[in-house]
Amino acid sequence: MTQIFEGATKPDDYIRVAQLAEVQAQGSLLVYKEKHTIALFYSNHTVYAIDNRCPHMGFPLQGSTCKDGIVTCPWHYARFDLKSGGTFDSWADDVPCFAVEIRDGEVWVNLAPLVNPHAHYRQRLQDGLEQNISLVIAKSTLALLDIAVNPVEPFLMGLEFGTRYNKAGWSTGLTIHTCMMNLLPYLDVEDKPRALFYGLSAVANDSAGAPPEFVVQPLPNSKVDFATLKNWFRQFIQVRDAEAAQRCLVSAIRSGANSKQIADMLFCAATDRRYLDVGHTLDFINKALEALDAIAWQAAESILPSLVSGLANASRMEESNSWRYPVDLVAILESAFEQLPTVLSVGKSRQGSWSEVDGLVPILLGEDPQAIADSLLNALSTGCTEEQLAGVVTYTAALRVARFHTNNDFGDWNSAHHPFTFANAVHQALRRVPTVELLRGVFDAAMSVYLNRFLNVPAARLPAPQNIVQNPEQLLQQLPDLLNRHQQVNQTGQLVANYLYQGGNPERLMAMLGKMMLRENRDFHVIQEIEAAFRQYSLLGDTPAKIHVLVAAARYLAAHSPTMRSLGQTYQIAYRLHKGDRLFEESYNHFTLDNWGMGNGE
């Protein structure tokens, strides 16, 4: 624990707070001075002054047990050194203490401000991450943001910790962390610290008890060109040799490969095989790159190697029965991939004029995988760009969720969800590096959408506008109550559609959906769904497709609400403590009076 409460003790910082004799007689005394509530303790012939609020959860310390220079809070038994304020229990934090002087039988206390709160709260955040203590993470996050620290700083701390200590490399916790950073622009001001806290706590939870990861060193004095390193990397991933692949990646970064080259290296290997780990692998790569964008590519050499184990060991859909039987989808895809260079060359001169979305979507939602592959190739040859094609496939994946019938098994929500977040990751990736190798991911996404066609049999209807209201904001205010009830899936989708079709503000809707997501305990897939939908909404033109994407996200959120809200309660406690609320003083005083038979005005 760091000690930050020692500081300047200028004579003019002292104020008189009590008579020495009074403190000696009572053993402990509570005083109020200049917005401070100070607990005075007399122990071993010395007067000590500490803040009256236990830093753990705000319980009053005045009257607590004091023995051998240690005060023990009776609420959760946190222990503090009276002289320094330092705690012996890291979950509690140090209590602010104040220098004391005795002058002519009077107690004078120095109220100088804390020294270097920035360093202290950074250390407390590190403590919370290391010991997976959500309340410490919440309090330190709020405190850092309150002193105007850029959110990038705690975000980077979470990235570095999560990639250093993780049982499986880059996984759900770091993805949630990055999703939350991506969602900050969409959220209300009061929800931004909560989102950052959720991401950091997810990282700590994922890393709990994990040993440190030791990244391999780059090749010594390597002069190997990037193309060769990329080729080696793909070969090593192919044979699941994570250590050798990691060395190629680190060597490429150390040799000065730029961000686009590194992205190309990772995405090529991820699309050499089909739909790795039901889409998670490529999504994780995309999120890691987006995380590096947020921190200006600091620490890339320590962060990106965390992806390699998952990439090498991911399940490959060409090895699965569903992609081979009764129709060999892999054979269809491999044939299509052979044609990609030709159709791209033909379509390049026609780019800018393609507008066949309405004709393509029904085919992608149909039951003929060969027709799906052919339609994608035809779109490219007639001028559809790689990014446009990825956007259309992502939209069709969102429609699977928007039209998911609630008669399906609950677990099938994720079967509809995975193609959407995978397609979104491919779409975002193609905007970064539009390569022919990465374009294969669009075809993979289309086949994963095809395989989920049974989830829309029968298909839930896309909601049309109804129940016209004068003020759409009235609809938005109904959303929290609707999501307080289980399985209000269709009702939620209808409300969102009504709101948007009747001129509601989409930014306010997304902020509300984000608030409702943060109200629940963290759920990886829900967070993925909301973040992907918001990103897609921002890329779609002024079409009904924008509404359908948000309807899909809202329905998915409704299907997974409400849950336990323990994480939100932890954050709320931290928030109230940060704002200075006296959470327990009044109840403690009533408890004390009642025990003495004085609780009702006696």
Side-chain angles (χ1 to χ4, degrees):
M1 296 295 296
T2 56
Q3 176 49 245
I4 65 167
F5 304 119
E6 55 192 36
T9 56
K10 299 177 183 177
D12 57 0
D13 286 330
Y14 281 88
I15 61 171
R16 181 171 57 83
V17 296
Q19 295 293 322
L20 175 60
E22 187 179 7
V23 182
Q24 290 173 323
Q26 297 190 33
S28 66
L29 184 67
L30 192 64
V31 296
Y32 303 91
K33 293 291 180 180
E34 298 185 8
K35 298 183 180 181
H36 289 277
T37 305
I38 304 167
L40 301 175
F41 287 89
Y42 185 73
S43 177
N44 298 327
H45 309 292
T46 305
V47 176
Y48 300 95
I50 61 175
D51 190 279
N52 187 50
R53 290 198 320 161
C54 175
H56 176 221
M57 290 184 67
F59 194 79
L61 291 173
Q62 190 269 333
S64 300
T65 303
C66 179
K67 183 179 180 181
D68 298 328
I70 296 175
V71 64
T72 301
C73 175
W75 198 252
H76 295 99
Y77 302 102
R79 299 157 298 170
F80 306 94
D81 165 31
L82 277 173
K83 187 174 182 179
S84 68
T87 185
F88 298 96
D89 304 287
S90 58
W91 41 265
D93 204 350
D94 299 333
V95 65
C97 70
F98 310 97
V100 175
E101 288 186 3
I102 306 301
R103 302 177 184 175
D104 300 325
E106 296 177 331
V107 179
W108 290 68
V109 172
N110 187 307
L111 298 180
L114 306 184
V115 174
N116 197 0
H118 180 221
H120 173 70
Y121 292 124
R122 272 186 61 92
Q123 182 59 52
R124 288 302 290 154
L125 177 54
Q126 190 69 25
D127 294 339
L129 290 168
E130 290 173 358
Q131 299 185 45
N132 191 21
I133 306 175
S134 294
L135 185 59
V136 172
I137 295 171
K139 290 193 290 188
S140 54
T141 301
L142 283 162
L144 285 169
L145 296 181
D146 196 50
I147 60 175
V149 167
N150 191 316
V152 169
E153 184 176 323
F155 177 68
L156 175 57
M157 290 180 66
L159 281 180
E160 291 181 327
F161 182 81
T163 50
R164 175 67 168 159
Y165 300 95
N166 204 295
K167 297 180 281 292
W170 187 288
S171 190
T172 57
L174 286 161
T175 301
I176 289 173
H177 188 44
T178 306
C179 282
M180 291 301 177
M181 193 68 179
N182 288 344
L183 285 169
L184 291 186
Y186 299 96
L187 299 176
D188 289 336
V189 171
E190 66 269 20
D191 291 324
K192 295 178 190 290
R194 186 190 294 258
L196 194 56
F197 156 63
Y198 270 44
L200 288 163
S201 66
V203 169
N205 188 64
D206 234 18
S207 302
E213 169 72 14
F214 298 104
V215 177
V216 300
Q217 293 298 306
L219 295 168
N221 305 312
S222 176
K223 303 296 182 183
V224 180
D225 62 90
F226 174 77
T228 300
L229 287 171
K230 174 184 171 182
N231 185 50
W232 287 348
F233 180 78
R234 294 170 72 177
Q235 289 181 39
F236 290 135
I237 293 296
Q238 165 64 22
V239 297
R240 303 186 187 277
D241 188 341
E243 182 181 9
Q246 190 179 89
R247 195 162 207 193
C248 291
L249 176 61
V250 172
S251 298
I253 296 169
R254 182 72 64 87
S255 67
N258 62 43
S259 61
K260 287 190 175 182
Q261 288 175 311
I262 297 300
D264 177 39
M265 186 177 192
L266 291 163
F267 286 134
C268 280
T271 52
D272 280 340
R273 296 299 167 200
R274 311 281 57 81
Y275 197 47
L276 297 182
D277 197 21
V278 294
H280 285 136
T281 303
L282 193 138
D283 185 53
F284 289 174
I285 294 171
N286 184 59
K287 282 293 173 284
L289 297 174
E290 290 176 348
L292 287 176
D293 291 341
I295 60 173
W297 277 70
Q298 299 177 62
E301 191 174 318
S302 62
I303 290 172
L304 290 180
S306 66
L307 294 165
V308 176
S309 176
L311 180 54
N313 297 308
S315 60
R316 302 169 178 182
M317 288 303 103
E318 63 266 31
E319 299 169 347
S320 71
N321 182 68
S322 60
W323 283 62
R324 292 289 193 179
Y325 183 84
V327 179
D328 192 341
L329 301 181
V330 176
I332 293 173
L333 290 174
E334 288 175 349
S335 174
F337 297 158
E338 292 176 0
Q339 301 175 60
L340 280 178
T342 300
V343 297
L344 286 170
S345 177
V346 171
K348 187 173 182 180
S349 62
R350 306 179 185 180
Q351 289 180 356
S353 59
W354 186 80
S355 60
E356 299 301 320
V357 174
D358 292 341
L360 180 57
V361 169
I363 299 173
L364 296 177
L365 291 172
E367 299 191 15
D368 185 344
Q370 185 63 62
I372 290 170
D374 291 343
S375 68
L376 294 174
L377 291 169
N378 181 66
L380 291 169
S381 69
T382 54
C384 180
T385 67
E386 297 93 322
E387 183 181 339
Q388 282 179 306
L389 194 65
V392 176
V393 172
T394 305
Y395 170 60
T396 62
L399 286 177
R400 288 284 190 232
V401 182
R403 300 169 67 181
F404 182 94
H405 202 287
T406 53
N407 284 345
N408 288 311
D409 183 75
F410 182 78
D412 282 334
W413 275 106
N414 284 341
S415 298
H417 158 83
H418 286 129
F420 174 56
T421 51
F422 172 73
N424 171 68
V426 174
H427 188 193
Q428 305 297 338
L430 278 166
R431 299 177 69 228
R432 184 189 299 271
V433 280
T435 65
V436 65
E437 292 90 353
L438 179 53
L439 185 58
R440 295 175 298 186
V442 177
F443 286 72
D444 286 352
M447 289 304 164
S448 68
V449 172
Y450 157 76
L451 284 170
N452 287 329
R453 63 198 182 281
F454 67 92
L455 298 177
N456 296 151
V457 180
R461 291 186 178 183
L462 292 173
Q466 57 181 241
N467 302 328
I468 297 175
V469 296
Q470 292 297 114
N471 182 9
E473 296 307 311
Q474 294 174 355
L475 293 172
L476 202 57
Q477 299 312 310
Q478 298 172 22
L479 191 57
D481 180 64
L482 196 58
L483 294 176
N484 266 333
R485 290 175 275 151
H486 285 290
Q487 294 300 309
Q488 300 297 298
V489 173
N490 294 327
Q491 296 89 331
T492 300
Q494 186 64 62
L495 185 150
V496 167
N498 287 344
Y499 179 80
L500 292 173
Y501 280 124
Q502 295 178 47
N505 185 326
E507 285 73 27
R508 286 183 55 78
L509 172 63
M510 287 188 283
M512 179 62 80
L513 289 172
K515 189 185 296 291
M516 297 299 96
M517 175 194 72
L518 292 169
R519 188 171 65 169
E520 309 299 331
N521 273 9
R522 56 178 174 251
D523 181 287
F524 172 55
H525 290 135
V526 170
I527 293 166
Q528 272 190 311
E529 183 81 18
I530 294 293
E531 189 263 356
F534 287 9
R535 297 293 292 275
Q536 285 300 310
Y537 183 89
S538 67
L539 295 174
L540 288 164
D542 188 18
T543 65
K546 299 178 74 170
I547 295 176
H548 298 157
V549 166
L550 292 185
V551 165
R555 295 182 86 242
Y556 191 87
L557 176 61
H560 297 80
S561 298
T563 67
M564 286 183 60
R565 296 172 181 174
S566 56
L567 203 62
Q569 182 181 12
T570 298
Y571 177 81
Q572 196 60 31
I573 290 170
Y575 178 79
R576 292 184 64 187
L577 287 170
H578 178 70
K579 292 300 182 184
D581 288 2
R582 297 177 181 176
L583 297 183
F584 301 107
E585 286 189 24
E586 291 183 4
S587 59
Y588 174 72
N589 290 337
H590 286 308
F591 170 79
T592 304
L593 291 172
D594 287 342
N595 279 339
W596 286 96
M598 299 170 61
N600 295 306
E602 296 180 64

